[in-house]
Amino acid sequence: MALFLLAPGFAFVAGVYATGRSAIHEASPPPPNSIMALAMVTGGSLVAHTFAAAVFLLGHVLNSWTRWSWPAPDPNPYYQAMHLAGGDGTATSASFAWILLLLTLLCVGTFLATRGVMSSPIGRSERVGSALYGWFWQIEKTQGAYAYVLTQFENDHGTVGYQGLLEYVTLDAEKQISSLVLAHAEPFSLAILEDRKVQRTATPRADRKLRVLLTKSEIKNIVYAPLVFEDEADLEVEIDEHPASDPLLGDGTD
């Protein structure tokens, strides 16, 4: 019974995290055993059931005013649920099927209503975006980012890195980077000399359309600057003067 009651809450969570609002990233839902996940499921269920109960209450009020008679059985699923078990402990199949049908409609309505809210200015507000994306929201609210990624690989010139447009990112439930794709990437090497100076060496290449996929185990550090495209054809970008680093990967170095 508890699972049935929480079903609209799961529909609410699905509506929040399945909005397709991002071109380069989809927010990951919180861990199932987290307080945030429990709060979203129970809160969404409570709001959905309260709205549905209010609709049926309004129906009963109108019924008493107009003196129309309810069809048999009573269409209120909450009333039906409370009286499923009769004196002999049995339940009618018609009542149970009616409850499941209305619960399904409630879940679908909750999902669609949530998607509508998330697509509205309320869903795209600063507070909602920060709650969904965390540190990644400063990229989401622009049109992407230009990133400098230091990898775990090394060559003769030091640690291998790539710089390029952040094309796609996947984050886990803790908002840590699971993988990323850099488009128009430029490889470089980074080495720390004996006098503690950082030497950056560019790696020339013929292909100017290199696309790089890196996973969490291959990424040592990342520095990124949110950007806005001026002309998507030639990829002229306007970059923030103070690039931000992923706080979960450490301070940026370039």
Side-chain angles (χ1 to χ4, degrees):
M1 181 60 72
L3 184 60
F4 289 119
L5 292 176
L6 293 177
F10 292 110
F12 168 73
V13 175
V16 170
Y17 289 98
T19 54
R21 47 186 281 174
S22 171
I24 64 173
H25 167 65
E26 294 297 336
S28 300
N33 58 345
S34 66
I35 296 179
M36 179 60 70
L38 295 176
M40 293 184 68
V41 172
T42 55
S45 298
L46 182 61
V47 172
H49 285 301
T50 300
F51 176 80
V55 171
F56 284 101
L57 175 61
L58 179 61
H60 280 286
V61 172
L62 293 178
N63 172 260
S64 63
W65 286 353
T66 59
R67 299 185 181 277
W68 289 352
S69 60
W70 285 110
D74 192 305
N76 191 331
Y78 301 100
Y79 178 84
Q80 292 281 2
M82 294 177 61
H83 296 81
L84 269 181
D88 57 355
T90 60
T92 62
S93 299
S95 297
F96 190 68
W98 179 247
I99 292 173
L100 290 180
L101 174 61
L102 291 181
L103 184 62
T104 301
L105 294 177
L106 181 59
C107 291
V108 173
T110 301
F111 177 79
L112 295 178
T114 303
R115 284 185 62 102
V117 172
M118 295 302 297
S119 300
S120 68
I122 297 177
R124 297 184 178 276
S125 64
E126 187 79 18
R127 180 171 298 180
V128 175
S130 298
L132 287 178
Y133 296 98
W135 63 270
F136 202 76
W137 172 241
Q138 58 181 304
I139 296 177
E140 286 295 334
K141 66 182 180 181
T142 59
Q143 298 183 27
Y146 194 86
Y148 301 82
V149 183
L150 203 61
T151 72
Q152 300 287 356
F153 308 118
E154 294 186 358
N155 57 19
D156 296 338
H157 302 285
T159 303
V160 176
Y162 296 92
Q163 65 182 76
L165 294 173
L166 200 58
E167 184 177 71
Y168 193 79
V169 178
T170 57
L171 304 182
D172 57 23
E174 284 74 30
K175 302 294 189 294
Q176 298 185 36
I177 293 179
S178 297
S179 64
L180 60 83
V181 176
L182 291 179
H184 302 273
E186 298 280 350
F188 64 88
S189 299
L190 201 67
I192 299 179
L193 305 180
E194 295 181 356
D195 56 0
R196 296 186 179 181
K197 290 184 179 180
V198 177
Q199 182 182 40
R200 184 176 182 275
T201 305
T203 303
R205 59 182 177 80
D207 184 11
R208 308 301 297 178
K209 296 183 179 180
L210 184 64
R211 179 174 280 104
V212 178
L213 168 64
L214 296 171
T215 61
K216 182 178 181 179
S217 60
E218 299 169 334
I219 300 173
K220 179 182 295 185
N221 199 355
I222 176 173
V223 175
Y224 57 88
L227 54 85
V228 176
F229 291 103
E230 294 180 354
D231 187 350
E232 195 168 344
D234 55 14
L235 295 177
E236 293 181 1
V237 298
E238 182 179 318
I239 301 178
D240 192 340
E241 294 181 357
H242 304 286
S245 62
D246 178 355
L248 299 174
L249 292 176
D251 296 330
T253 303
D254 180 41

